[in-house]
Amino acid sequence: MNASQAIPTVLPLHSETDEQVQDRLRMSGPMPEHVAIIMDGNGRWAKQRGKHRVFGHHKGIESVRDIIEASAQLGGISHVTLYTFSTENWGRPATEVRAIMELLIRTIRKETQTLLKNSIRLRVIGDPSMLPARCQRELSEAIELTRDNDRMTLTLALSYSGRWEILQAVRSIASQVQAGHLHAENIDEALFEAQLNTVGMPDPDLLIRTGGDYRISNFLLWQLAYTELYITDRPWPEFRRTDLYEAIRSFQARDRRFGKVKDAE
């Protein structure tokens, strides 16, 4: 049994509107402040339909749009981070990589006005210098245009891997020690986290992985230490706001102890 089968449903009743479902969800428990998502299953979904893998990536954009809109509407969710393109993804066929980059460029250009309208700030983690120049320009412009938005932050993990991020942090700290600006005994969690791409962001409360695989795939390795995991077999192109609601309901049913015990125990 997977997580989506084990948790009581919050699917809409026949007479309920989406707004009423959201109200019921807000009343049922705390919202995750930061939701991270591994958007898996695009290629397999497309192949099952006799289509090229790129078709799945195109359909996945519809899921991104719906999930971001629903997250902003719910309130309480201040950060959504999408694992958009990993460093390992550069090893995919060149035609697929080019198609993904073109899709990314078009999507950023098309959706920037929507981000502005909904006061959503765009942010990127990873190594954007690896991206095509056009993609870098579109990202830079969208990030600058949305920098003052404060309703929610949408973070795209692009050319990103958790191991790469940790190595970058270690190199930065080692350089500071070597230069005499830092003593090794003063290195603590707060100092380490200040070197990470996610500095200033809360750790994810909830990680959603679509596509059914039970792994975190080199994503936010430091930040996921106490994150609640939600795995669903549903591929990303089919994942919609009702699935997000189920994931949040699952989160609300968890007993988050962060390695501690309840006072009564």
Side-chain angles (χ1 to χ4, degrees):
M1 179 179 290
N2 65 30
S4 60
Q5 295 171 324
I7 301 301
T9 182
V10 291
L11 291 174
L13 302 176
H14 292 302
S15 60
E16 278 190 313
T17 65
D18 186 60
E19 290 78 9
Q20 290 172 322
V21 175
Q22 291 180 356
D23 286 341
R24 186 155 54 94
L25 192 60
R26 282 189 285 266
M27 291 187 293
S28 66
M31 286 289 167
E33 182 181 1
H34 184 177
V35 178
I37 306 177
I38 299 176
M39 306 178 292
D40 198 21
N42 289 344
R44 280 171 287 161
W45 180 86
K47 289 182 70 175
Q48 289 170 359
R49 287 155 180 75
K51 303 285 188 179
H52 193 277
R53 290 174 56 86
V54 174
F55 178 73
H57 298 307
H58 279 271
K59 295 298 289 184
I61 296 298
E62 298 176 12
S63 296
V64 170
R65 188 178 296 115
D66 192 44
I67 296 309
I68 297 305
E69 182 180 77
S71 297
Q73 291 170 349
L74 279 166
I77 300 176
S78 61
H79 291 265
V80 175
T81 300
L82 305 179
Y83 203 6
T84 309
F85 194 85
S86 72
T87 54
E88 291 82 5
N89 288 156
W90 290 113
R92 292 187 176 187
T95 53
E96 181 178 354
V97 171
R98 283 196 299 271
I100 291 173
M101 292 298 118
E102 287 296 325
L103 177 60
L104 180 60
I105 291 168
R106 291 198 301 271
T107 302
I108 294 168
R109 186 178 299 155
K110 182 178 179 181
E111 300 297 333
T112 297
Q113 289 304 314
T114 302
L115 296 177
L116 288 168
K117 179 180 178 182
N118 292 282
S119 195
I120 298 173
R121 175 191 177 200
L122 181 66
R123 181 173 178 175
V124 172
I125 58 174
D127 185 5
S129 69
M130 295 289 293
L131 302 174
R134 288 173 55 216
C135 190
Q136 292 183 46
R137 287 195 299 270
E138 293 291 341
L139 279 169
S140 295
E141 290 177 10
I143 290 170
E144 180 61 27
L145 285 170
T146 64
R147 61 181 300 185
D148 295 326
N149 292 347
D150 57 8
R151 183 180 186 183
M152 191 175 77
T153 297
L154 169 62
T155 301
L156 305 182
L158 285 166
S159 193
Y160 172 91
S161 81
R163 289 182 175 179
W164 168 86
E165 181 183 30
I166 290 171
L167 284 173
Q168 293 294 106
V170 170
R171 291 186 183 115
S172 174
I173 292 172
S175 295
Q176 294 176 57
V177 172
Q178 188 177 36
H181 301 313
L182 177 67
H183 294 290
E185 59 269 23
N186 293 329
I187 299 171
D188 57 15
E189 287 190 13
L191 187 143
F192 186 83
E193 289 174 353
Q195 316 304 313
L196 297 174
N197 282 199
T198 53
V199 60
M201 294 169 58
D203 288 341
D205 299 293
L206 173 64
L207 171 70
I208 299 171
R209 177 165 189 147
T210 63
D213 285 332
Y214 284 75
R215 54 177 177 266
I216 58 175
S217 297
N218 205 2
F219 184 43
L220 298 174
L221 297 181
W222 174 274
Q223 298 87 342
L224 293 178
Y226 284 101
T227 299
E228 299 297 328
L229 308 182
Y230 181 88
I231 312 295
T232 175
D233 291 332
R234 193 179 298 280
W236 181 248
E238 295 180 3
F239 194 88
R240 290 294 189 272
R241 61 179 60 208
T242 53
D243 303 296
L244 174 67
Y245 301 158
E246 289 298 302
I248 293 174
R249 179 65 184 90
S250 172
F251 169 82
Q252 292 173 334
R254 311 283 178 90
D255 180 14
R256 305 191 76 200
R257 305 186 186 185
F258 301 96
K260 303 175 184 178
V261 296
K262 287 184 176 180
D263 292 339
E265 293 182 342

PDB file of all heavy atoms in Angstrom, residues 213-232:
ATOM      1  N   ASP A 213       8.597   5.932  -7.461  1.00  0.00           N
ATOM      2  CA  ASP A 213       9.912   5.492  -6.984  1.00  0.00           C
ATOM      3  C   ASP A 213      10.150   5.978  -5.556  1.00  0.00           C
ATOM      4  O   ASP A 213       9.840   7.119  -5.214  1.00  0.00           O
ATOM      5  CB  ASP A 213      11.028   6.024  -7.889  1.00  0.00           C
ATOM      6  CG  ASP A 213      11.098   5.276  -9.214  1.00  0.00           C
ATOM      7  OD1 ASP A 213      10.703   4.094  -9.242  1.00  0.00           O
ATOM      8  OD2 ASP A 213      11.547   5.875 -10.211  1.00  0.00           O
ATOM      9  N   TYR A 214      10.743   5.102  -4.741  1.00  0.00           N
ATOM     10  CA  TYR A 214      10.965   5.405  -3.331  1.00  0.00           C
ATOM     11  C   TYR A 214      12.425   5.803  -3.104  1.00  0.00           C
ATOM     12  O   TYR A 214      13.214   5.069  -2.520  1.00  0.00           O
ATOM     13  CB  TYR A 214      10.600   4.195  -2.470  1.00  0.00           C
ATOM     14  CG  TYR A 214       9.114   4.011  -2.308  1.00  0.00           C
ATOM     15  CD1 TYR A 214       8.339   3.500  -3.350  1.00  0.00           C
ATOM     16  CD2 TYR A 214       8.469   4.379  -1.131  1.00  0.00           C
ATOM     17  CE1 TYR A 214       6.970   3.346  -3.217  1.00  0.00           C
ATOM     18  CE2 TYR A 214       7.102   4.231  -0.984  1.00  0.00           C
ATOM     19  CZ  TYR A 214       6.357   3.717  -2.032  1.00  0.00           C
ATOM     20  OH  TYR A 214       5.006   3.574  -1.893  1.00  0.00           O
ATOM     21  N   ARG A 215      12.785   6.976  -3.576  1.00  0.00           N
ATOM     22  CA  ARG A 215      14.115   7.531  -3.347  1.00  0.00           C
ATOM     23  C   ARG A 215      14.041   9.045  -3.501  1.00  0.00           C
ATOM     24  O   ARG A 215      13.099   9.573  -4.086  1.00  0.00           O
ATOM     25  CB  ARG A 215      15.137   6.930  -4.319  1.00  0.00           C
ATOM     26  CG  ARG A 215      14.769   7.038  -5.793  1.00  0.00           C
ATOM     27  CD  ARG A 215      15.875   6.473  -6.683  1.00  0.00           C
ATOM     28  NE  ARG A 215      15.498   6.501  -8.086  1.00  0.00           N
ATOM     29  CZ  ARG A 215      14.945   5.483  -8.735  1.00  0.00           C
ATOM     30  NH1 ARG A 215      14.726   4.335  -8.100  1.00  0.00           N
ATOM     31  NH2 ARG A 215      14.625   5.580 -10.014  1.00  0.00           N
ATOM     32  N   ILE A 216      15.083   9.729  -2.990  1.00  0.00           N
ATOM     33  CA  ILE A 216      15.085  11.191  -3.050  1.00  0.00           C
ATOM     34  C   ILE A 216      15.991  11.715  -4.154  1.00  0.00           C
ATOM     35  O   ILE A 216      16.054  12.923  -4.379  1.00  0.00           O
ATOM     36  CB  ILE A 216      15.442  11.821  -1.695  1.00  0.00           C
ATOM     37  CG1 ILE A 216      16.812  11.346  -1.204  1.00  0.00           C
ATOM     38  CG2 ILE A 216      14.370  11.497  -0.659  1.00  0.00           C
ATOM     39  CD1 ILE A 216      17.243  12.048   0.075  1.00  0.00           C
ATOM     40  N   SER A 217      16.707  10.841  -4.842  1.00  0.00           N
ATOM     41  CA  SER A 217      17.404  11.186  -6.084  1.00  0.00           C
ATOM     42  C   SER A 217      18.305  12.414  -5.984  1.00  0.00           C
ATOM     43  O   SER A 217      18.257  13.302  -6.830  1.00  0.00           O
ATOM     44  CB  SER A 217      16.388  11.371  -7.226  1.00  0.00           C
ATOM     45  OG  SER A 217      15.709  10.162  -7.467  1.00  0.00           O
ATOM     46  N   ASN A 218      19.113  12.472  -4.910  1.00  0.00           N
ATOM     47  CA  ASN A 218      20.134  13.515  -4.816  1.00  0.00           C
ATOM     48  C   ASN A 218      19.522  14.918  -4.726  1.00  0.00           C
ATOM     49  O   ASN A 218      20.093  15.883  -5.212  1.00  0.00           O
ATOM     50  CB  ASN A 218      21.090  13.427  -6.016  1.00  0.00           C
ATOM     51  CG  ASN A 218      22.462  14.001  -5.726  1.00  0.00           C
ATOM     52  OD1 ASN A 218      22.746  14.442  -4.627  1.00  0.00           O
ATOM     53  ND2 ASN A 218      23.314  14.019  -6.731  1.00  0.00           N
ATOM     54  N   PHE A 219      18.377  15.011  -4.084  1.00  0.00           N
ATOM     55  CA  PHE A 219      17.655  16.282  -3.994  1.00  0.00           C
ATOM     56  C   PHE A 219      17.657  16.786  -2.554  1.00  0.00           C
ATOM     57  O   PHE A 219      17.229  16.086  -1.634  1.00  0.00           O
ATOM     58  CB  PHE A 219      16.212  16.071  -4.468  1.00  0.00           C
ATOM     59  CG  PHE A 219      15.366  17.307  -4.530  1.00  0.00           C
ATOM     60  CD1 PHE A 219      15.850  18.495  -5.047  1.00  0.00           C
ATOM     61  CD2 PHE A 219      14.055  17.282  -4.090  1.00  0.00           C
ATOM     62  CE1 PHE A 219      15.061  19.633  -5.116  1.00  0.00           C
ATOM     63  CE2 PHE A 219      13.237  18.406  -4.160  1.00  0.00           C
ATOM     64  CZ  PHE A 219      13.750  19.584  -4.674  1.00  0.00           C
ATOM     65  N   LEU A 220      18.183  17.973  -2.317  1.00  0.00           N
ATOM     66  CA  LEU A 220      18.131  18.634  -1.014  1.00  0.00           C
ATOM     67  C   LEU A 220      18.574  17.696   0.120  1.00  0.00           C
ATOM     68  O   LEU A 220      17.886  17.550   1.145  1.00  0.00           O
ATOM     69  CB  LEU A 220      16.715  19.160  -0.742  1.00  0.00           C
ATOM     70  CG  LEU A 220      16.198  20.212  -1.730  1.00  0.00           C
ATOM     71  CD1 LEU A 220      14.732  20.545  -1.437  1.00  0.00           C
ATOM     72  CD2 LEU A 220      17.030  21.481  -1.706  1.00  0.00           C
ATOM     73  N   LEU A 221      19.730  17.069  -0.044  1.00  0.00           N
ATOM     74  CA  LEU A 221      20.163  16.036   0.888  1.00  0.00           C
ATOM     75  C   LEU A 221      20.310  16.546   2.317  1.00  0.00           C
ATOM     76  O   LEU A 221      19.949  15.847   3.267  1.00  0.00           O
ATOM     77  CB  LEU A 221      21.494  15.438   0.412  1.00  0.00           C
ATOM     78  CG  LEU A 221      21.454  14.717  -0.944  1.00  0.00           C
ATOM     79  CD1 LEU A 221      22.834  14.158  -1.273  1.00  0.00           C
ATOM     80  CD2 LEU A 221      20.410  13.596  -0.936  1.00  0.00           C
ATOM     81  N   TRP A 222      20.850  17.732   2.495  1.00  0.00           N
ATOM     82  CA  TRP A 222      20.987  18.296   3.839  1.00  0.00           C
ATOM     83  C   TRP A 222      19.631  18.732   4.391  1.00  0.00           C
ATOM     84  O   TRP A 222      19.290  18.487   5.544  1.00  0.00           O
ATOM     85  CB  TRP A 222      21.947  19.504   3.793  1.00  0.00           C
ATOM     86  CG  TRP A 222      22.068  20.253   5.078  1.00  0.00           C
ATOM     87  CD1 TRP A 222      21.263  21.271   5.522  1.00  0.00           C
ATOM     88  CD2 TRP A 222      23.031  20.045   6.112  1.00  0.00           C
ATOM     89  NE1 TRP A 222      21.683  21.720   6.751  1.00  0.00           N
ATOM     90  CE2 TRP A 222      22.772  20.987   7.136  1.00  0.00           C
ATOM     91  CE3 TRP A 222      24.119  19.171   6.258  1.00  0.00           C
ATOM     92  CZ2 TRP A 222      23.527  21.062   8.296  1.00  0.00           C
ATOM     93  CZ3 TRP A 222      24.882  19.261   7.417  1.00  0.00           C
ATOM     94  CH2 TRP A 222      24.584  20.191   8.422  1.00  0.00           C
ATOM     95  N   GLN A 223      18.826  19.352   3.545  1.00  0.00           N
ATOM     96  CA  GLN A 223      17.595  20.003   3.993  1.00  0.00           C
ATOM     97  C   GLN A 223      16.475  19.019   4.326  1.00  0.00           C
ATOM     98  O   GLN A 223      15.521  19.371   5.027  1.00  0.00           O
ATOM     99  CB  GLN A 223      17.117  20.981   2.920  1.00  0.00           C
ATOM    100  CG  GLN A 223      18.082  22.117   2.626  1.00  0.00           C
ATOM    101  CD  GLN A 223      19.127  21.758   1.563  1.00  0.00           C
ATOM    102  OE1 GLN A 223      19.366  20.589   1.273  1.00  0.00           O
ATOM    103  NE2 GLN A 223      19.743  22.772   0.968  1.00  0.00           N
ATOM    104  N   LEU A 224      16.531  17.795   3.822  1.00  0.00           N
ATOM    105  CA  LEU A 224      15.432  16.842   3.998  1.00  0.00           C
ATOM    106  C   LEU A 224      15.548  16.000   5.261  1.00  0.00           C
ATOM    107  O   LEU A 224      14.800  15.034   5.434  1.00  0.00           O
ATOM    108  CB  LEU A 224      15.354  15.893   2.785  1.00  0.00           C
ATOM    109  CG  LEU A 224      14.956  16.521   1.455  1.00  0.00           C
ATOM    110  CD1 LEU A 224      14.963  15.463   0.351  1.00  0.00           C
ATOM    111  CD2 LEU A 224      13.583  17.179   1.530  1.00  0.00           C
ATOM    112  N   ALA A 225      16.428  16.378   6.176  1.00  0.00           N
ATOM    113  CA  ALA A 225      16.699  15.547   7.354  1.00  0.00           C
ATOM    114  C   ALA A 225      15.427  15.162   8.118  1.00  0.00           C
ATOM    115  O   ALA A 225      15.281  14.019   8.559  1.00  0.00           O
ATOM    116  CB  ALA A 225      17.681  16.266   8.281  1.00  0.00           C
ATOM    117  N   TYR A 226      14.494  16.093   8.293  1.00  0.00           N
ATOM    118  CA  TYR A 226      13.266  15.815   9.036  1.00  0.00           C
ATOM    119  C   TYR A 226      12.009  16.129   8.222  1.00  0.00           C
ATOM    120  O   TYR A 226      10.939  16.395   8.775  1.00  0.00           O
ATOM    121  CB  TYR A 226      13.258  16.596  10.359  1.00  0.00           C
ATOM    122  CG  TYR A 226      14.175  15.979  11.383  1.00  0.00           C
ATOM    123  CD1 TYR A 226      15.431  16.519  11.630  1.00  0.00           C
ATOM    124  CD2 TYR A 226      13.801  14.826  12.065  1.00  0.00           C
ATOM    125  CE1 TYR A 226      16.289  15.940  12.548  1.00  0.00           C
ATOM    126  CE2 TYR A 226      14.647  14.236  12.987  1.00  0.00           C
ATOM    127  CZ  TYR A 226      15.893  14.794  13.229  1.00  0.00           C
ATOM    128  OH  TYR A 226      16.746  14.208  14.129  1.00  0.00           O
ATOM    129  N   THR A 227      12.141  16.048   6.923  1.00  0.00           N
ATOM    130  CA  THR A 227      11.007  16.305   6.034  1.00  0.00           C
ATOM    131  C   THR A 227      10.083  15.087   5.978  1.00  0.00           C
ATOM    132  O   THR A 227      10.547  13.947   5.931  1.00  0.00           O
ATOM    133  CB  THR A 227      11.516  16.632   4.619  1.00  0.00           C
ATOM    134  OG1 THR A 227      12.321  17.813   4.675  1.00  0.00           O
ATOM    135  CG2 THR A 227      10.372  16.847   3.652  1.00  0.00           C
ATOM    136  N   GLU A 228       8.788  15.337   5.959  1.00  0.00           N
ATOM    137  CA  GLU A 228       7.818  14.260   5.786  1.00  0.00           C
ATOM    138  C   GLU A 228       7.742  13.895   4.301  1.00  0.00           C
ATOM    139  O   GLU A 228       7.632  14.793   3.448  1.00  0.00           O
ATOM    140  CB  GLU A 228       6.436  14.693   6.285  1.00  0.00           C
ATOM    141  CG  GLU A 228       6.387  15.065   7.767  1.00  0.00           C
ATOM    142  CD  GLU A 228       6.712  13.894   8.680  1.00  0.00           C
ATOM    143  OE1 GLU A 228       6.392  12.735   8.310  1.00  0.00           O
ATOM    144  OE2 GLU A 228       7.279  14.126   9.766  1.00  0.00           O
ATOM    145  N   LEU A 229       7.804  12.600   3.995  1.00  0.00           N
ATOM    146  CA  LEU A 229       7.813  12.135   2.612  1.00  0.00           C
ATOM    147  C   LEU A 229       6.430  11.624   2.206  1.00  0.00           C
ATOM    148  O   LEU A 229       5.760  10.925   2.978  1.00  0.00           O
ATOM    149  CB  LEU A 229       8.843  11.023   2.425  1.00  0.00           C
ATOM    150  CG  LEU A 229      10.268  11.302   2.921  1.00  0.00           C
ATOM    151  CD1 LEU A 229      11.181  10.114   2.608  1.00  0.00           C
ATOM    152  CD2 LEU A 229      10.814  12.579   2.317  1.00  0.00           C
ATOM    153  N   TYR A 230       6.040  11.952   0.991  1.00  0.00           N
ATOM    154  CA  TYR A 230       4.782  11.468   0.423  1.00  0.00           C
ATOM    155  C   TYR A 230       5.059  10.953  -0.976  1.00  0.00           C
ATOM    156  O   TYR A 230       5.449  11.729  -1.864  1.00  0.00           O
ATOM    157  CB  TYR A 230       3.736  12.593   0.384  1.00  0.00           C
ATOM    158  CG  TYR A 230       2.395  12.171  -0.173  1.00  0.00           C
ATOM    159  CD1 TYR A 230       1.415  11.626   0.655  1.00  0.00           C
ATOM    160  CD2 TYR A 230       2.101  12.321  -1.526  1.00  0.00           C
ATOM    161  CE1 TYR A 230       0.187  11.244   0.154  1.00  0.00           C
ATOM    162  CE2 TYR A 230       0.874  11.940  -2.040  1.00  0.00           C
ATOM    163  CZ  TYR A 230      -0.089  11.403  -1.203  1.00  0.00           C
ATOM    164  OH  TYR A 230      -1.310  11.016  -1.706  1.00  0.00           O
ATOM    165  N   ILE A 231       4.884   9.659  -1.168  1.00  0.00           N
ATOM    166  CA  ILE A 231       5.158   9.021  -2.462  1.00  0.00           C
ATOM    167  C   ILE A 231       3.835   8.594  -3.085  1.00  0.00           C
ATOM    168  O   ILE A 231       2.992   7.970  -2.428  1.00  0.00           O
ATOM    169  CB  ILE A 231       6.054   7.772  -2.295  1.00  0.00           C
ATOM    170  CG1 ILE A 231       7.254   8.066  -1.402  1.00  0.00           C
ATOM    171  CG2 ILE A 231       6.489   7.245  -3.660  1.00  0.00           C
ATOM    172  CD1 ILE A 231       8.226   9.065  -1.942  1.00  0.00           C
ATOM    173  N   THR A 232       3.650   8.918  -4.342  1.00  0.00           N
ATOM    174  CA  THR A 232       2.451   8.493  -5.062  1.00  0.00           C
ATOM    175  C   THR A 232       2.847   7.860  -6.394  1.00  0.00           C
ATOM    176  O   THR A 232       3.816   8.273  -7.030  1.00  0.00           O
ATOM    177  CB  THR A 232       1.489   9.671  -5.313  1.00  0.00           C
ATOM    178  OG1 THR A 232       0.384   9.229  -6.113  1.00  0.00           O
ATOM    179  CG2 THR A 232       2.187  10.826  -6.023  1.00  0.00           C
TER     180      THR A 232
END
